Amino acid sequence: MQIEDPGFESDHNHQHCIEQALNTARVLCNQRAQRLTAIRELVLKLVWQNHQPMGAYELLPALADAGFNSAPPTVYRALEFLQEQGFVHRIASLNAYVGCPHPESPHRSGFLICRSCQRAVELNTGNVHHALQESAADLGFEIEQEMVEVVGLCPDCQAGAADAQS
Ligand SMILES: [Zn+2]
Ligand SMILES: [Zn+2]
Ligand SMILES: [Zn+2]
């Protein structure tokens, strides 16, 4: 059960991303004896509506439209559950959430964030983690939280910038 990760490919079938994410969440909740309630599932679907991280407050209107209690604590509780299950990650620098393409096992993750189109792609940061651990240990520092959030331009936006200049 491996979800395909399209990375920064802009012409992928995103409906497929959403379906895979929802199916995987259902299967994993079943295996873990967790309840994917209607509101949790809807919040997951809303976070997955694109590859741009979504702030909790951006989700509220759609919840209200679907007839759910759209008070902020409700959406935060759903997001907390989704984060605990590894279905979404929080991007601290944006205070926003993005779907995880491989939630089956816990992992360290970092993000490449395009400053132009706001898409965020998850990176495996195992190597970064080891480098940080070593450098911190040299200074006698104990790391408690690591956030690897890298801002730049994705391939599409680099091409766009080049077009604009020519
Ligand atoms: Zn997609
Ligand atoms: Zn992840
Ligand atoms: Zn971009």
Side-chain angles (χ1 to χ4, degrees):
M1 188 177 44
Q2 181 71 45
I3 301 188
E4 269 170 62
D5 186 350
F8 282 111
E9 268 170 53
S10 48
D11 58 354
H12 70 279
N13 180 349
H14 185 60
Q15 200 53 41
H16 190 58
C17 295
I18 299 175
E19 279 160 22
Q20 287 189 109
L22 292 176
N23 283 336
T24 304
R26 286 184 201 114
V27 171
L28 290 175
C29 279
N30 214 357
Q31 285 174 1
R32 296 170 182 169
Q34 298 289 334
R35 284 181 59 221
L36 191 63
T37 58
I39 187 154
R40 289 168 173 173
E41 187 168 324
L42 178 60
V43 170
L44 181 61
K45 194 173 169 187
L46 291 170
V47 170
W48 265 103
Q49 63 188 275
N50 53 41
H51 291 278
Q52 278 94 345
M54 298 279 287
Y57 279 79
E58 291 177 81
L59 305 172
L60 298 178
L63 287 181
D65 286 350
F68 287 103
N69 173 354
S70 62
T74 314
V75 70
Y76 278 114
R77 273 198 298 275
L79 285 167
E80 202 180 320
F81 170 83
L82 297 173
Q83 247 187 302
E84 282 166 6
Q85 297 301 317
F87 301 155
V88 304
H89 295 294
R90 181 171 174 271
I91 298 189
S93 60
L94 302 173
N95 189 18
Y97 299 82
V98 70
C100 174
H102 37 85
E104 54 288 336
S105 54
H107 50 268
R108 288 179 198 289
S109 57
F111 291 90
L112 296 180
I113 303 162
C114 178
R115 65 173 163 79
S116 176
C117 67
Q118 271 83 48
R119 283 184 294 169
V121 165
E122 192 169 335
L123 279 184
N124 179 319
T125 53
N127 294 339
V128 179
H129 170 70
H130 290 298
L132 280 173
Q133 287 284 344
E134 264 175 39
S135 307
D138 287 347
L139 296 170
F141 186 84
E142 194 185 333
I143 296 178
E144 293 180 343
Q145 267 190 53
E146 246 173 71
M147 286 161 287
V148 179
E149 299 175 1
V150 180
V151 177
L153 280 177
C154 75
D156 287 348
C157 293
Q158 289 170 45
D163 286 350
Q165 275 164 21
S166 61

